[in-house]
Every structure is written in C-alpha cells, then in structure tokens.
Amino acid sequence: MKRYSVTIIGMGPRGLSILERLAAFARANACLLQVNLVEPGECGPGVHGVHLPPHLLCNTEAGLLSIFPAPGAVELPSACAGATLAEWARAQGYRRFGEQVHQLAPDATEGEALDDNAFLPRCLLGRYLAWAYRTLASALPPAVRLTHLRHRAIDMFQQPDGNFVVELDSGFSVNSDFVFLASGHSRSNLTDEQAWCRKFAQDHARYNSKLVYIRHPYPLGKLAALGSDARVGIAGMGLTAHDVVAELTVGRGGRFVAAGSGVRYVASGHEPRLLLFSRSCLPALARAAEPDACARSCAAPRFFTHDALAALRHAAVQTRASAQLDFDRDLLPLLMKELGYAWRCVQDGTAPGPQYMPGAAELAGIEALLFPLRARTFDSGAAFTTFVTCLLADDLSEARRSSTASPAKAAAATLAGARDVLRDAVEQGGLSAASHRKYLSVYHPAFNRVAYGPPGARNEQLLALIEAGVLDMASGPNPAVRIDEELSRFALHTRTGGGTDVTCLDALVIARMDAFSPETNDDDFMRNLLKRGTVRPFYNGTFHPGGLDIDAAGHPLSRAGRVIPNVWASGCLVEGPHYFTQVLPRPQRQTPGERQVQDADGCVRELFAGITGREGAPAPARPRAGSAVQDALL
C-alpha cells in the first residue's frame, strides 16, 4: 500500500482543525500517511503567542472556544468533544485573582474558579492551542508519520502526475499528494499613503527624535520605540487597537483600580499621550454581561433564517433570472424584523405574536444603535468627543443589564446569532456586486461594532483613560492623516461644524490587521502561486472583496478557472468567497466558528475518499465518536 503525503501549510487554529480531522479519519481507516506541517513557529497558537503579555485578552468567552467539535455538532464528532478553553484552563489549575489569572495546583482553592464567561488572556489561548496540537499528535495511529518542518513555504508547483512539490525557504522540497493552505493572517504591500508616511518618518526623524511610523504593531515589542513624551495616533478601534492601548498603558506600569461601578486609571508616568481614530471614530460597543453566553450563542432566528434566504433566492431566480440578492431590498427588512422582535420582547416583557411587524420605536432604536451618527451634526470637535464618551457610558450601563433586560443588548445578541445566516447570504457572490461592496463598507463595520465588541471591562478602561487624560478620541469621523513638514510631525485633520480640527502627532500606529488579497499580498509563496497561475483572486462581477477564488468544496481555482482537486484553502486566505473566516472554532452549533470544523471535516473526508478511490478500496469509514484524542487521553 502506498504511503500518501499530506502537507498542511500553516499550523494555527485552522491547520489544527484539519489535523484533528486527519487524526479522527486516520484512526478509522487503514491507510499509510506522511503528514508534513509547514510552520516556522510552534504548531497550534498561530498569532495567539504563548508569550504574549497577560493584559492582552481574548474577545470571546472561554466557554465558547474549542478546537474540538461538540458531540453532534458535525457529522463526524471529534474525539475530544467538549474540551473548551475554559475547561482546559480549569483542569490546568488556572484561577482568577482580581484582574489577574494565575496557575496553581489543580486542587487549589485560592482565588476564584474560572467560569465559561471569562475573557481570558490570549497567551492562555495560545497555550491551549499548543496543548491541543500535542494531544492530536499523540493521538495519531502508528500508520501516520508526522513531520514538523520549521520553515516557510515559498513556492508550489504541480508535477505531470497532478501532485505538488512544496518548496521551503531552506531549499528543501516536499512532494505532496494533497495540500492544505491554511496560512492564516498575512500582510499586504504598502499602499501609496502608507509608503508616503513611512518615508516621511524616515526622512524627518533627524528633526524629531519622537517621529515613528509603525505599520504593523505585532510583535508589540515594536511599541518600545514610542517615548513617554510622544503624542501617538492609533488608527483603528478594534481588538488590535485595544492591544496597542493596553501595551502602552498597563504594559508600562499603569493600573486600573475599582471606582464606583467602573474603574479609575492610575498612571505610571511612562505612558505616551494617545489619540484613537478610525473612519467612523466610534468605538465598538461592549458585550453584555450574560449569565450563560454559551446558551445564548445557540439561539435560533425566527424570521431571518436559512429557509427565508432560500425562498428569496428562489424568487429572485424566477423574477430576475439570477440568485443574487440586494441586501438593502431583500434582506435588511427581514433582519430588522428579527432585531425588532428581540427588542420588543425585552421592552414589553413578553413575546409578540407570530404576525409581529416592527414598530417605529424599535426601528428607531435599532437605527440609532447601528448608525448613531446618521442625521447628526456637531458644532465642534469637543461636542463630538462628548457624544462619543456619553455613548460609551450609556452602552456600558446597558451591558451591565444583560440582553435579557436591555432591548439594545437583546438586539445586539440577536445580531450576533444571525451571523450564520448573514454568512450564507454573502458568500460565493450571494449578493450583487454593488450590494456586496456596500454591505462590506457600510453594514459589516456597523454589525461588528454592535455585536462583536470587547468585554465590558475594556470600554470601562477606555473611559478611565479618557478621564485620566491619557487617551483622547478623534474629534470627528473620517479624519485624514497629513504631514507637517515644518514641525516634522504627522497631522490629523478632522472636519467639524466649526471648521477643521488639527492634531499634531509624533507617532502613528496602524492598529488594523491587513485583509488578504493575493494581488497585494507581500508573501513570496502567494506571489509565486499567482504568477504561476495556480490560483486566482475571487471576483464577484467586477468587485474583489479579497481572497482566493475557490469552488464549493474549498478547492482553489487556477487562472484558467480549473479546479485543483488535491488542494484546499481555508481561513483568511478565502475571506472574500467566504465570510467571517476570522472567527475561532467554537463547539456550539449554528455558529460561524463551527463552520471551520465542518469545512475541515469536508476537506479531509474528500481526501480519504480520494485515497480509497486510488486504492480501489471501500469508501472511507466514519470515525466513531470519541475516537482519536479521547482514546489518547484515557
């Protein structure tokens, strides 16, 4: 029997999901495999490094995160079902001491036990993922050989027999019958504006010793270049921006102490002066303090459903001869009805009847929640800043009430639960090109800001930093970064009702992860694949939302449109034809994170079917529940 070679390029969480499925199938099917893991670092953590500082938090409750699928969540249940981050952390003896988490003996009673709703440090997530890799590696049957190649892939070319050779940066090459592309987050080439900012910082550093331009803040050690006397602009208001703020405050010796219903910041004196800005200049709203976030994530929609989406597509085919939809016309009314229903249930304390239609009150409330700047004008930058500060404070009050008591948080939780249907609506050109473009530029940022924000503690800290004079918010939306040649500083220009506010900055940090596009990616591997025509960018008509073009099974399409049957792509590489690929795997059903497991399952199932087809053997057996990893742990 031939030994087949399987290569996984990238061993972060997506690669782990593929390895988990390989372990499960390999235990159930008698075949010889050589599994090559191309990963320059440790397998498992990906960007969630085990040595990250503890003040960098996960953005998802620990009880929701698991590299292993839950029983019944997919057709082929995982061997170690239910091993969530929270359960692993408790088993390892981690306990909470105020805002800190420390590892003690497993039977220790000091401190507080971690519950499923805890937002744990990301370094713990990294350790959990590293543990998951070791556990999966030990669960592989003797017929599977595992090799970790600590290098980067720089090229891949197809041989006459259809198999691939993966070339590494060391010069070593790997012959592969099957290849999984799961390389995760990447970096793009500099835009003209970014190149201009970088050159300005390089040319003018001789005149201003504090002048710094940081295009990518990770690893966060780069921020040590920012002096405590510098004025630092942070572009972005998402998780990356929260990391930068935490590193430049708590990471420099500052601390938060309890004060009333929130916190107060005690400065160390080593913090620079910070200015947060983004296109909307609106921070993400806090997640509600839920008694059971895991149960909430499984709530099924009533109106904005997969069945309703299918009916809309069928009607579109009948009337317009196209299954593509327009989000504003076809889908937004249903989504608003779904959110309005949740709002009304909490507002009235009882569920409305089945013929519910949203009323003016809840529609106005949801509109204000999603787009608080619409129809608003501000006389000055100070007025805008006051509005944003009050928005944060009011939202925190709502978050403390939970989604069972706050209509706004009920709508936000419902929007989070609708993500799977949204994904089904958007993916693979499900919207017309114009609607797709508008959805990603208008609705996607608003939905993310409302439904997928940070834990409440992060926004409490933002308010405390503003009160302490350490952090400011930009004075209006759509600020423009310019330069001041005379002062050798960056200048942030913001239009207000009273004219233009200008804030001079010594340093500029771009606190956003790059979206992946094969045409702008700065990675040699992707450039070579594109040059060879092995892959091509995904386009919805004339619109390129990003990502590689793939078929329904996850196979890349070549420049000529040919499917490559023995290669699969997943994760950030296919954000474009897919949607919400950045979500970490979760054990709950009907969540986008579960889709990662389902995709890995489908790819590996097809791989084993290909092997049995070549060998002329019966169809691959389904792994029994609790096989690979669970057996290894018993």
Side-chain angles (χ1 to χ4, degrees), residues 236 277-282 373 440-443 445-446 476-479 512:
F277 67 95
S278 68
R279 187 176 67 173
S280 69
C281 284
L282 292 173
L373 298 183
L440 291 182
S441 63
V442 176
Y443 293 107
N478 300 310
R512 291 187 292 260

Side-chain angles (χ1 to χ4, degrees), residues 291-310:
D292 188 355
C294 298
R296 181 203 67 218
S297 70
C298 300
R302 295 170 179 82
F303 310 106
F304 191 69
T305 64
H306 292 287
D307 288 343
L309 177 61

Side-chain angles (χ1 to χ4, degrees), residues 6-186:
V6 180
T7 299
I8 305 175
I9 300 176
M11 274 304 297
R14 275 93 194 151
L16 268 186
S17 287
I18 294 165
L19 182 63
E20 186 275 331
R21 293 287 81 201
L22 284 171
F25 270 90
R27 301 268 298 196
N29 296 272
C31 61
L32 303 177
L33 293 180
Q34 168 64 48
V35 178
N36 305 301
L37 310 178
V38 179
E39 172 57 56
E42 296 302 318
C43 292
V47 297
H48 311 284
V50 298
H51 299 300
L52 288 173
H55 49 260
L56 306 184
L57 302 180
C58 293
N59 214 35
T60 303
E61 296 91 339
L64 294 176
L65 295 174
S66 177
I67 200 65
F68 307 106
V74 291
E75 188 173 344
L76 303 177
S78 167
C80 195
T84 66
L85 171 60
E87 290 169 341
W88 171 85
R90 288 192 289 265
Q92 295 294 312
Y94 286 100
R95 295 179 69 83
R96 183 176 295 284
F97 293 81
E99 294 300 314
Q100 303 295 318
V101 175
H102 298 291
Q103 187 176 21
L104 306 177
D107 58 350
T109 58
E110 297 92 333
E112 298 178 15
L114 298 176
D115 62 32
D116 284 352
N117 293 337
F119 293 92
L120 295 181
R122 288 218 301 284
C123 57
L124 257 64
L125 174 59
R127 293 169 198 169
Y128 164 75
L129 294 170
W131 164 83
Y133 165 71
R134 294 192 300 270
T135 304
L136 290 170
S138 67
L140 292 170
V144 178
R145 297 174 182 169
L146 187 68
T147 302
H148 179 193
L149 301 166
R150 294 177 177 269
H151 299 282
R152 296 185 184 278
I154 60 170
D155 203 356
M156 184 175 79
F157 54 90
Q158 197 165 23
Q159 302 180 96
D161 63 359
N163 292 342
F164 280 87
V165 173
V166 178
E167 184 179 336
L168 309 183
D169 57 5
S170 65
F172 187 75
S173 296
V174 181
N175 294 315
S176 304
D177 296 282
F178 305 96
V179 179
F180 293 93
L181 306 178
S183 50
H185 291 288
S186 62

Side-chain angles (χ1 to χ4, degrees), residues 476-551:
N478 300 310
V481 175
R482 297 177 185 169
I483 59 175
D484 189 317
E485 295 270 0
E486 185 175 342
L487 295 177
S488 294
R489 302 177 82 187
F490 295 105
L492 193 72
H493 288 242
T494 307
R495 292 182 180 178
T496 69
T500 301
D501 280 355
V502 180
T503 305
C504 288
L505 303 168
D506 298 301
L508 185 59
V509 180
I510 309 302
R512 291 187 292 260
M513 301 296 286
D514 289 343
F516 171 76
S517 170
E519 296 177 311
T520 59
N521 189 255
D522 73 352
D523 178 62
D524 287 337
F525 180 67
M526 195 53 59
R527 277 199 298 265
N528 286 330
L529 291 188
L530 198 63
K531 187 187 303 182
R532 290 181 181 277
T534 306
V535 299
R536 70 182 186 184
F538 170 74
Y539 274 87
N540 179 5
T542 59
F543 175 51
H544 174 51
L548 297 174
D549 200 359
I550 55 173
D551 70 0

Side-chain angles (χ1 to χ4, degrees), residues 8 44 222 240 253 278 311 315 325 334 381 395 450 516 553 602 625 631:
I8 305 175
K222 295 179 182 180
T240 303
S278 68
L325 301 175
L334 272 182
D395 176 69
V450 168
F516 171 76
D631 288 352

